[in-house]
Amino acid sequence: MESQELKKELSATLDARRELGPEYEAALVDSFVEKVDTQVRRRLAEERLTAARGGPRTTADSPDGNFGERFGFAIITLVLAIPLSAIGAAQAHLSGLVVAWLGILGVNYVHAAKFRRRRSPEPGSLD
């Protein structure tokens, strides 16, 4: 629901900017950022209160909670794979290409293992 409110606020801010002109842009942006900051602070306070009461896990604790970070990392490594593949193939042909991709796979494996360790319960715990 808060997301819809922010979209409406952004739309209103953009409409006001069109009507008032660029000289009021800084004030309008500051006002919108303040509203976003207030919503973020409210959401964080609610999550802290829920955690203090022993409530349910937040989305950051869930297996899919870090999807954005994992997806972004995968995209970055794929984008970087293009020049790394070209350099490896140009310098050492097929063996250079294989080494480059083994490095890319290794980095992604280590990154994925970091999230697996966070998710898995420790031995002896009832979680």
Side-chain angles (χ1 to χ4, degrees):
M1 187 58 103
E2 293 173 353
S3 177
Q4 293 293 354
E5 292 174 20
L6 283 178
K7 287 180 183 177
K8 288 179 184 176
E9 287 291 333
L10 178 59
S11 178
T13 302
L14 292 174
D15 289 341
R17 195 259 182 218
R18 280 188 215 105
E19 290 176 16
L20 297 174
E23 57 272 0
Y24 291 99
E25 185 172 341
L28 291 169
V29 169
D30 288 342
S31 172
F32 180 74
V33 167
E34 190 174 309
K35 290 174 185 173
V36 170
D37 185 50
T38 301
Q39 290 228 351
V40 168
R41 287 176 189 263
R42 184 181 314 132
R43 191 174 298 165
L44 283 173
E46 289 171 0
E47 287 180 8
R48 286 181 186 149
L49 184 61
T50 302
R53 292 181 179 169
R57 291 181 169 187
T58 61
T59 55
D61 295 333
S62 70
D64 297 329
N66 295 321
F67 175 76
E69 182 181 344
R70 291 182 290 139
F71 184 72
F73 188 81
I75 294 297
I76 289 171
T77 56
L78 286 175
V79 167
L80 292 175
I82 295 168
L84 290 174
S85 297
I87 293 168
Q91 297 297 319
H93 306 291
L94 182 60
S95 61
L97 185 63
V98 169
V99 168
W101 274 96
L102 286 174
I104 292 164
L105 291 173
V107 167
N108 278 285
Y109 178 79
V110 168
H111 189 268
K114 176 177 78 170
F115 288 103
R116 266 189 249 121
R117 279 193 303 270
R118 277 192 211 160
R119 277 189 0 195
S120 62
E122 293 186 19
S125 71
L126 299 175
D127 192 24

